[in-house]
Amino acid sequence: MKSKTIVLFGRLMKHILRSPDTIITVALMPIAMMLMFVYVFGGAVKTSLGDGVNYVNYQLPGILLIAIASGISYTAFRLFGDMENGFFARLNAMPIKRSSVLWAHVLTSLVSNILTLVVVFLVALLMGFRSGAGVLSWLAVAGILVLFTLALTWVAVIPGLTAKSLEGASAFSYPLIFLPMLSSAFVPTETMPAVLRVFAENQPVTSIVNTLRALLNAEPVGSEIWVALAWCVGIAAVAYLFAMRAYRRVA
Amino acid sequence: MSDFAVQVKGLRKSFKTTEVLKGVDLEVRRGEIFALLGSNGAGKTTIVNILSTLLKSDGGAASVCGLDVKNQADKVRQSISLTGQFAAVDGVLTGRENLSLIAELRDVPNPAHIADSLLERFFLTDAANKRAGTYSGGMKRRLDIAMSLVGTPSVIFLDEPTTGLDPEGRLEVWKMVKELAGGGTTILLTTQYLEEAEQLADRIAILHVGKIIVNGTLAELKKLFPPAKTEYIEKQPTLEEIFLAIIGKEGANK
């Protein structure tokens, strides 16, 4: 007997595979940004980074986080759709474990974001991304990306369950997409004005980006990985609490 | 086993400061079609949602097939099916996929076979492999009701099954509902259309400002109210009859 979460996950994956616009927006937007950063700004930024810096490598972690932030807006979108048309209620009145409905959405979010990230990695490879990272470093990269996706997925569940309109359900992701711009993801923070620099150096994206960058470049990660992990786990935990509270109100 | 598929006693429910249900009593016998009639906002959907375990009541008792909806919610869900106010079909999936999805979730053996037989029964075989999002309102509703039949639940809740449908779609749905009840399924439906209750229901309850104000068969209700007068009037066709005659679908067999 198949798990109900898996049955419902299969249903949601059909949604993704059957809406080409979702796939295009989710994968193409970060790829377009990567092209822009590397080929438009890259030349200018490189001069301030010093010789020997591979800018494709440098900006990739930021692009990956942007890809996740835009990907999870569709998690909110799908959840809102199920709330809106009564499908959620239909499932909740059926003899299945109620949490399987929510977990199917979370699982779909993880799998679809991982697929997007793989595509972004492949494009980066074509653009000149090279990594000397070992297996353990790659596992750490994968772990951090999955953890970050999970954290933002729980964030996305909140508007998905509580929004009053479709726009409201996905609007929350814009600041998340923008956050990497105000971090060390694309330019060194040293060049920023003081106030911005303080923000940039202390927001979650910077520690996550620096950790991913160090891991991918096979450089020592230092203690920043713990800050990055603390942010991911912290965001996941807080978002999970609020998401569950919203969930209990509707289910 | 009791003769009643649904028993509700003194049911109360408030949302914030608004008291929606102020002590509702009703009983639905096994195998009958019971219509809950009331205007918009009377609390019909609230009753249905409590009975289908989606909402918790504030007070009173409600049971389905002798099972308490609060304490035995899991068991209640085995014996019920809910067709909500809006056709809750998955527009991205095809009609067949919608049905087999529900069959898989309900652990019905041979989901594909169940899907095919329901598609046939609800005249959806031709559209079986089209996405449900492309269906007409009437077809969506038929699929919606078909999905509720998967796993043959003994009680079906239909919340305003024909709201928003065109006359053809409405007649189609009525026909389905009558067939269902003919098969022994208990049906509790809510409606704001008097004609619908008159056409379908064995018994009718009128919900008004949070209470059931009358409850009985159509004949019983008729006795309560202004006595019949004998008048001679010329019977003009209604616009609905004209409409259906023109498009040639009287009786709506599709």
Side-chain angles (χ1 to χ4, degrees):
Chain A
M1 199 189 300
K2 257 202 275 185
S3 136
K4 306 301 186 248
T5 308
I6 297 298
V7 173
L8 291 167
F9 164 71
R11 163 190 173 241
L12 291 167
M13 285 310 285
K14 278 186 192 151
H15 277 230
I16 292 176
L17 298 175
R18 286 178 192 181
S19 65
D21 50 327
T22 310
I23 300 171
I24 289 170
T25 328
V26 168
L28 227 53
M29 204 267 278
I31 290 170
M33 289 181 91
M34 179 155 68
L35 291 169
M36 190 182 74
F37 275 107
V38 171
Y39 297 121
V40 180
F41 304 134
V45 178
K46 236 171 159 171
T47 52
S48 72
L49 288 175
D51 281 341
V53 172
N54 175 345
Y55 190 64
V56 180
N57 279 21
Y58 188 89
Q59 54 85 58
L60 184 60
I63 293 293
L64 295 172
L65 299 193
I66 287 180
I68 295 170
S70 74
I72 50 112
S73 70
Y74 283 88
T75 303
F77 174 84
R78 284 187 293 270
L79 197 50
F80 179 79
D82 275 1
M83 295 287 296
E84 176 87 335
N85 78 359
F87 210 80
F88 195 78
R90 155 165 259 146
L91 295 175
N92 278 334
M94 283 177 49
I96 54 173
K97 242 201 228 131
R98 286 190 171 187
S99 57
S100 56
V101 181
L102 194 55
W103 278 105
H105 277 275
V106 172
L107 192 60
T108 306
S109 180
L110 279 179
V111 171
S112 63
N113 274 296
I114 289 169
L115 292 177
T116 310
L117 294 177
V118 169
V119 172
V120 174
F121 262 115
L122 290 176
V123 174
L125 211 56
L126 291 175
M127 290 169 64
F129 163 72
R130 294 294 177 268
S131 170
V135 176
L136 276 182
S137 298
W138 272 106
L139 284 177
V141 168
I144 290 173
L145 289 173
V146 167
L147 197 58
F148 187 71
T149 308
L150 191 62
L152 289 199
T153 295
W154 284 113
V155 173
V157 166
I158 302 167
L161 290 171
T162 57
K164 300 275 183 283
S165 70
L166 194 59
E167 290 79 12
S170 41
F172 78 97
S173 69
Y174 296 125
L176 296 179
I177 294 171
F178 195 66
L179 215 50
M181 310 289 178
L182 311 178
S183 78
S184 65
F186 301 106
V187 294
T189 51
E190 289 82 33
T191 58
M192 297 177 185
V195 176
L196 191 57
R197 187 174 165 182
V198 170
F199 175 77
E201 287 177 355
N202 293 291
Q203 63 125 322
V205 170
T206 293
S207 60
I208 298 169
V209 159
N210 290 349
T211 304
L212 291 175
R213 193 181 282 151
L215 287 167
L216 289 172
N217 287 341
E219 288 159 6
V221 286
S223 62
E224 209 156 18
I225 189 169
W226 302 114
V227 180
L229 287 174
W231 273 116
C232 289
V233 172
I235 295 169
V238 173
Y240 178 80
L241 283 179
F242 279 98
M244 281 327 246
R245 186 193 279 184
Y247 178 68
R248 271 191 295 271
R249 219 172 298 144
V250 294
Chain B
M1 244 193 184
S2 86
D3 292 340
F4 296 107
V6 176
Q7 278 178 299
V8 173
K9 197 121 195 82
L11 197 66
R12 313 183 80 84
K13 177 76 190 173
S14 302
F15 293 104
K16 289 188 180 136
T17 54
T18 330
E19 201 179 8
V20 180
L21 304 179
K22 305 172 181 172
V24 169
D25 301 319
L26 64 87
E27 280 165 338
V28 180
R29 297 194 183 101
R30 280 178 191 279
E32 76 176 354
I33 304 185
F34 185 93
L36 193 55
L37 195 59
S39 35
N40 275 334
K44 304 187 295 286
T45 299
T46 307
I47 295 181
V48 167
N49 284 349
I50 290 172
L51 290 174
S52 51
T53 75
L54 294 178
L55 261 184
K56 287 203 165 62
S57 64
D58 297 336
S63 65
V64 175
C65 301
L67 302 160
D68 186 83
V69 293
K70 244 186 203 170
N71 305 323
Q72 296 165 290
D74 288 336
K75 281 187 183 157
V76 169
R77 285 181 211 135
Q78 302 276 0
S79 29
I80 62 159
S81 191
L82 166 69
T83 306
Q85 222 170 82
F86 308 100
V89 302
D90 185 326
V92 177
L93 301 187
T94 65
R96 177 175 281 123
E97 286 171 336
N98 266 292
L99 288 164
S100 20
L101 173 75
I102 302 296
E104 273 193 75
L105 291 174
R106 278 192 176 264
D107 292 325
V108 177
N110 207 344
H113 175 74
I114 294 288
D116 282 337
S117 69
L118 281 168
L119 285 164
E120 199 182 316
R121 193 165 149 203
F122 283 79
F123 308 106
L124 290 167
T125 306
D126 292 341
N129 296 320
K130 293 202 183 94
R131 288 191 190 188
T134 65
Y135 286 13
S136 70
M139 287 164 78
K140 269 187 199 154
R141 220 14 162 173
R142 287 202 312 252
L143 176 61
D144 192 26
I145 295 174
M147 284 160 78
S148 292
L149 297 190
V150 174
T152 50
S154 49
V155 181
I156 292 183
F157 300 111
L158 296 172
D159 196 5
E160 303 204 2
T162 61
T163 300
L165 291 189
D166 58 21
E168 272 182 278
R170 200 171 67 213
L171 291 179
E172 285 170 6
V173 168
W174 284 359
K175 196 165 154 246
M176 296 301 143
V177 172
K178 281 180 189 160
E179 273 184 29
L180 270 183
T185 311
T186 308
I187 296 174
L188 189 159
L189 69 91
T190 75
T191 182
Q192 44 180 321
Y193 303 123
L194 311 178
E195 196 197 346
E196 186 157 293
E198 200 169 337
Q199 282 282 335
L200 293 178
D202 299 313
R203 282 189 318 122
I204 300 166
I206 298 178
L207 181 68
H208 187 64
V209 285
K211 285 198 157 174
I212 301 286
I213 49 173
V214 282
N215 183 351
T217 62
L218 184 62
E220 285 166 358
L221 294 192
K222 277 182 173 161
K223 267 187 238 159
L224 287 172
F225 289 100
K229 288 184 287 191
T230 312
E231 279 179 27
Y232 294 95
I233 51 161
E234 194 180 282
K235 174 97 171 56
Q236 295 280 353
T238 64
L239 184 56
E240 181 173 329
E241 283 161 349
I242 297 169
F243 175 82
L244 291 169
I246 292 172
I247 63 167
K249 292 244 178 161
E250 206 160 3
N253 292 312
K254 152 68 218 221

